[in-house]
Amino acid sequence: MKDKGDCIVYDEEKAKRIREHGKRWEQQRLRPLLSRSPERLTRFSTVSDEEISALYTPSDVEDLEFLNDVGFPGEYPYTRGVQPSMYRGRLWTMRQFSGFGSAEDTNARYHYLLSQGQTGLSVAFHFPTLMGYDSDHQRARGEVGMCGVAVDSLKDMEILFHKIPLDRITTSMTINAPAAILLAMYIAVAEQQGVSAKRIGGTIQNDILKEYIAQHSWIFPPDPSMRIITDILAYCSDHVPKWNTISISGYHIREAGSTAVQELAFTIADGIAYVRAGMEAGIPVDKFAPRLSFFFNAHMDFFEEIAKYRAARRMWARIMRERFKAQDENSWKLRFHTQTAGVTLTAQQPTNNVVRVALQGLMAVLGGTQSLHTNSMDESLALPTEQAVTIALRTQQILAEESGVANSIDPLGGSFLLEKLTNEMEGKAMAYIRKIDEMGGMVEAVKRGYPQREVIDASYHYQRLLEKGEKRIVGVNCYQGNEELPIPLLKIDKEVERKQVARTREVRRKRNAKRVISRIDALKDASLSRTNLMPVILDAVKDYVTLGEICDAFRETMGTYTDPAMY
Amino acid sequence: MARARAKERSEGRRRKGDRKVRVLVGKPGLDGHDRGAKIIARALRDAGFEVIYTGLHQTPEMIVNAAVQEDVDAIGLSILSGAHNYLFPKVVELLKGKKMGNVVVFGGGIIPDGDIPGLRKKGVDRIFTPGTSLSEIVEYVNKRIRARA
């Protein structure tokens, strides 16, 4: 039963008058006008191709119960934000995802970004690290340092964080299949700086389910991968209490071509799978759930995106409290990072990307994000130059300091359109979640290829709309210019690969070979038993066992995953 | 629209007797960005070509072996990690080694304009950069295979 007294339009008589007025307006004002001069399009829809009405009024949100559905910031169900003071207390963390070339190159970029007012670090690793290969592996040829920074051993990690105080700076690492190894290296570097694991803060992405769905940097099959994740949950809740153990990510699902609803639904369904796995591994929900965080995309459709963030908070709160019976308020709060959508950047007229990113950054802030990465205008062409990343960072600073949007909490809350979209977003995403529940949860759904197929279909649908001109992108299928202003691009020095390979080989020569063999044996043994893998990995990295060697040991005992290659 | 697609289909069927033109879409290297490759694979299939999609994380050797086994007419490669300067020419080189130098190799992804002349010199027939329409790629494959026949 709805509590009518709590509804936004609580006076039946007034509600009726508004409804009737709305009908009259449509028949007497709008229709006659449209018969003379029709609307520009036969159908208006969001970038996800969800239909949007001409006008939203109180009649669209008659059933919305203010305290139950919207409420106050810092209170269940957190629709308006997870903190009571939001940006009036502290601004979002400005965290630019960054990594290229060697550990030295990237360390210099980190020092530059921090000197320019960035407030947290975010590491981009190159593909061989993401896939668990050392830089001297045959499969790493041509890839070293190209798409991120090369990290093979603790030696590289020491250089990467040289003179960066890990007790004061938090670091997010986009790393999934080998997340446990990079976290262990980070802990080891912190200890070298005299900072105990209890004091370090940051995030590992560690979200393997969305790797199968979208980002595709996997190593092991789903079941052993979930075991590594629950080992991390258990270890961190005891030893690294300030660490965000999983960044449950919709970002890559969206980049792979999903709709906003799919991004939201699959991300929350992934979150449900991790909570289930943690609980089934015997960890009390309130011991690990407060350290789960989220990561969403800021795509191009302004209100659709803001509705997505608000719906995400409300859904997670309800799921954690009602479904999983979490007691701790911190388990109910969906904290999230946002990155502006890389896929919306155009290679044509690239300076226009500055404007796209500013709009997307604004959506994230209006949606109550905890941290933000703004893309650089040149990222449709290469990794960003220092100049381009500075403009991207300044964009956030202009939003924070000049625009006034951080002055009031959830400033668009109560908008008829936004509240309606938030409700629709939640309803459609919950329908997906029920379907995935029926399959046995996301691990099973992924094995069947269900979310993968949904994303491919959505991506192809959007591409067809673009081809038909039903969706328009400035500079790509409309307003094409003949002359393109060339912008400077970052080039990765070919020497990076040679030097990195040499360094890793030197690390192998200098370390204690006998210790390495026993560490690798211990890794294999632990992976075949139920021992928590984290302490064993930590011991291995401290003896300079490389990332590739650790992954090889696990490949042997856990097997590997290969692309089902559906399209 | 429907008529245009039917026309593309009939063009797709017209070589090597009645056998459809076979295109292998490949993802060499370690990058996981397959949105573009999958869209191209579907578009080529819808245009009437027989498409073999390799899936992700292929070595140049794996791609060329698949090309030999499937006896393809063309190979479309997609890379978004920056490793194209090594991996694209490697595929061309291995094809020549298998006496399949007549297979048309084209590519796409995040490829800076400055890298394109070097790749063409090493035997990559055409590079498509972001924003290319599907019809342009279908038309290219049609024309290029016909010119070669």
Side-chain angles (χ1 to χ4, degrees):
Chain A
M1 255 327 254
K2 284 270 172 189
D3 171 8
K4 276 289 177 190
D6 184 35
C7 288
I8 288 199
V9 183
Y10 52 84
D11 182 328
E12 276 294 348
E13 205 34 52
K14 273 188 185 162
K16 203 173 143 211
R17 262 166 48 206
I18 295 171
R19 271 199 302 273
E20 283 167 358
H21 196 120
K23 271 181 206 147
R24 272 204 308 280
W25 170 82
E26 198 179 331
Q27 282 158 8
Q28 295 170 13
R29 300 259 171 207
L30 183 64
R31 289 270 165 78
L33 174 72
L34 293 184
S35 64
R36 291 195 307 276
S37 56
E39 290 177 333
R40 287 181 293 112
L41 304 172
T42 49
R43 181 171 172 272
F44 288 80
S45 68
T46 67
V47 79
S48 302
D49 208 25
E50 298 282 354
E51 192 157 359
I52 287 286
S53 304
L55 185 74
Y56 292 83
T57 69
S59 306
D60 290 290
V61 289
E62 272 179 15
D63 284 343
L64 193 73
E65 292 179 46
F66 185 80
L67 290 174
N68 259 340
D69 300 331
V70 185
F72 286 80
E75 286 182 5
Y76 186 87
Y78 307 100
T79 312
R80 312 202 70 179
V82 288
Q83 294 125 2
S85 64
M86 287 303 290
Y87 307 135
R88 289 170 71 103
R90 196 172 71 84
L91 288 166
W92 63 91
T93 304
M94 298 180 191
R95 197 188 287 283
Q96 298 295 87
F97 182 45
S98 170
F100 62 96
S102 67
E104 287 88 347
D105 296 331
T106 302
N107 175 263
R109 177 66 66 92
Y110 291 168
H111 281 286
Y112 170 77
L113 285 168
L114 292 170
S115 76
Q116 296 302 305
Q118 173 166 290
T119 47
L121 295 177
S122 174
V123 186
F125 296 104
H126 73 165
F127 272 107
T129 300
L130 298 178
M131 295 295 294
Y133 298 110
D134 290 334
S135 295
D136 58 347
H137 193 282
Q138 176 62 31
R139 300 224 47 172
R141 287 290 301 279
E143 311 256 15
V144 177
M146 293 306 277
C147 216
V149 59
V151 172
D152 300 329
S153 72
L154 181 59
K155 181 85 197 155
D156 301 315
M157 207 69 162
E158 291 162 2
I159 299 166
L160 188 61
F161 291 100
H162 184 62
K163 290 199 171 164
I164 290 170
L166 300 189
D167 52 342
R168 276 178 284 145
I169 295 290
T170 62
T171 303
S172 169
M173 292 188 275
T174 296
I175 191 74
N176 292 279
I181 304 165
L182 275 301
L183 174 59
M185 288 184 187
Y186 193 85
I187 292 170
V189 172
E191 283 176 3
Q192 288 177 10
Q193 288 188 5
V195 181
S196 77
K198 289 239 185 299
R199 286 167 61 210
I200 58 171
T203 307
I204 40 176
Q205 199 162 74
N206 195 27
D207 172 9
I208 200 68
L209 290 170
K210 69 90 177 55
E211 294 300 322
Y212 302 121
I213 302 171
Q215 188 169 238
H216 305 326
S217 292
W218 51 60
I219 302 175
F220 317 110
D223 293 326
S225 296
M226 291 298 283
R227 178 261 172 110
I228 299 175
I229 290 171
T230 52
D231 279 2
I232 293 171
L233 295 180
Y235 183 83
C236 288
S237 63
D238 288 331
H239 304 282
V240 206
K242 285 159 72 182
W243 200 266
N244 295 313
T245 48
I246 312 179
S247 169
I248 307 162
S249 305
Y251 182 82
H252 321 84
I253 297 173
R254 192 68 182 280
E255 290 288 293
S258 83
T259 64
V261 167
Q262 289 169 344
E263 177 194 354
L264 174 61
F266 297 161
T267 305
I268 299 288
D270 287 346
I272 290 171
Y274 296 127
V275 172
R276 272 179 54 185
M279 290 170 76
E280 279 163 18
I283 320 167
V285 64
D286 286 320
K287 206 168 166 199
F288 67 91
R291 297 319 304 175
L292 300 175
S293 64
F294 286 79
F295 173 19
F296 290 110
N297 195 295
H299 209 280
M300 215 53 240
D301 197 291
F302 203 80
F303 298 108
E304 181 170 60
E305 293 300 274
I306 300 169
K308 180 183 74 185
Y309 308 129
R310 298 174 87 247
R313 275 193 295 270
R314 190 159 76 197
M315 286 167 70
W316 189 246
R318 287 176 173 163
I319 288 166
M320 290 310 292
R321 187 156 106 168
E322 289 163 22
R323 177 168 176 171
F324 291 113
K325 312 289 178 217
Q327 304 288 314
D328 184 344
E329 284 191 8
N330 291 317
S331 300
W332 307 339
K333 291 178 191 169
L334 179 145
R335 298 167 297 125
F336 72 105
H337 172 71
T338 308
Q339 179 169 342
T340 60
V343 79
T344 65
L345 302 179
T346 63
Q348 296 77 7
Q349 307 174 29
T351 40
N352 294 346
N353 292 331
V354 174
V355 182
R356 292 188 177 97
V357 167
L359 280 167
Q360 293 162 354
L362 179 57
M363 299 170 203
V365 170
L366 291 173
T369 196
Q370 275 57 63
S371 65
L372 179 60
H373 164 103
T374 35
N375 285 326
S376 301
M377 63 171 170
D378 52 357
E379 289 188 74
S380 51
L381 302 159
L383 295 191
T385 62
E386 192 168 283
Q387 187 201 11
V389 77
T390 306
I391 294 172
L393 178 59
R394 295 285 180 256
T395 304
Q396 293 198 38
Q397 290 162 341
I398 291 167
L399 284 173
E401 306 291 347
E402 299 182 23
S403 75
V405 292
N407 289 343
S408 187
I409 302 164
D410 187 32
L412 295 183
S415 144
F416 308 125
L417 169 139
L418 191 65
E419 296 298 352
K420 175 73 171 174
L421 290 191
T422 305
N423 288 349
E424 287 180 347
M425 188 72 71
E426 180 177 11
K428 287 172 185 166
M430 285 310 296
Y432 261 121
I433 288 171
R434 278 190 293 275
K435 205 163 177 181
I436 292 164
D437 280 341
E438 280 164 21
M439 292 180 193
M442 194 50 123
V443 178
E444 281 309 310
V446 156
K447 287 180 188 168
R448 291 191 202 177
Y450 171 70
Q452 294 94 315
R453 172 78 52 200
E454 287 289 303
V455 173
I456 300 168
D457 287 346
S459 134
Y460 196 57
H461 176 72
Y462 177 74
Q463 189 63 35
R464 311 259 332 157
L465 294 179
L466 264 188
E467 299 270 318
K468 287 187 271 182
E470 287 180 24
K471 291 289 170 201
R472 286 151 69 93
I473 300 176
V474 171
V476 176
N477 66 354
C478 58
Y479 310 109
Q480 287 116 315
N482 296 326
E483 258 177 75
E484 305 263 318
L485 286 177
I487 56 171
L489 294 182
L490 183 81
K491 272 282 208 192
I492 306 297
D493 188 349
K494 280 186 183 151
E495 279 295 283
V496 166
E497 181 162 333
R498 193 188 58 75
K499 284 184 187 161
Q500 180 63 25
V501 167
R503 177 148 75 213
T504 295
R505 290 189 175 151
E506 198 194 333
V507 165
R508 289 212 189 90
R509 261 198 312 279
K510 283 188 173 166
R511 63 191 183 176
N512 182 329
K514 269 192 188 156
R515 288 266 286 274
V516 168
I517 291 168
S518 75
R519 292 297 184 208
I520 289 176
D521 287 342
L523 287 163
K524 288 183 194 167
D525 289 346
S527 67
L528 292 169
S529 73
R530 299 192 61 175
T531 317
N532 192 308
L533 293 173
M534 271 307 294
V536 193
I537 295 172
L538 194 55
D539 287 341
V541 302
K542 285 179 181 170
D543 279 331
Y544 295 88
V545 179
T546 66
L547 168 124
E549 290 162 343
I550 297 172
C551 289
D552 277 345
F554 292 158
R555 282 185 183 101
E556 218 180 291
T557 56
M558 295 176 176
T560 54
Y561 183 81
T562 47
D563 188 5
M566 57 175 99
Y567 69 90
Chain B
M1 195 65 208
R3 192 177 301 159
R5 280 178 58 185
K7 185 164 163 272
E8 283 164 4
R9 261 196 212 108
S10 67
E11 281 172 2
R13 276 201 206 97
R14 50 151 297 287
R15 252 181 26 86
K16 290 196 179 175
D18 261 352
R19 153 156 135 43
K20 281 187 185 180
V21 171
R22 299 183 138 190
V23 185
L24 181 136
V25 176
K27 279 288 300 174
L30 299 177
D31 95 83
H33 302 98
D34 58 359
R35 178 176 181 170
K38 284 173 166 173
I39 285 178
I40 301 297
R42 259 197 202 195
L44 291 171
R45 184 193 66 191
D46 286 356
F49 298 102
E50 193 165 319
V51 176
I52 297 107
Y53 174 53
T54 63
L56 289 160
H57 311 139
Q58 304 288 299
T59 62
E61 289 79 8
M62 289 156 94
I63 287 174
V64 170
N65 286 341
V68 171
Q69 231 167 49
E70 301 284 347
D71 187 24
V72 301
D73 305 283
I75 300 179
L77 300 171
S78 161
I79 296 185
L80 287 86
S81 71
H84 49 269
N85 284 331
Y86 172 73
L87 291 166
F88 282 175
K90 188 79 190 164
V91 170
V92 176
E93 183 196 313
L94 291 171
L95 276 173
K96 283 181 185 154
K98 300 262 184 190
K99 304 212 180 329
M100 288 189 69
N102 63 332
V103 171
V104 177
V105 177
F106 62 99
I110 304 286
I111 318 274
D113 286 345
D115 290 349
I116 295 176
L119 291 170
R120 296 207 51 163
K121 221 154 116 192
K122 288 180 179 160
V124 181
D125 189 71
R126 177 85 178 261
I127 295 288
F128 294 100
T129 49
T132 308
S133 74
L134 295 178
S135 52
E136 191 182 337
I137 295 169
V138 168
E139 195 186 313
Y140 158 81
V141 177
N142 260 323
K143 282 195 176 150
R144 194 63 188 78
I145 304 294
R146 198 181 312 137
R148 216 201 46 174

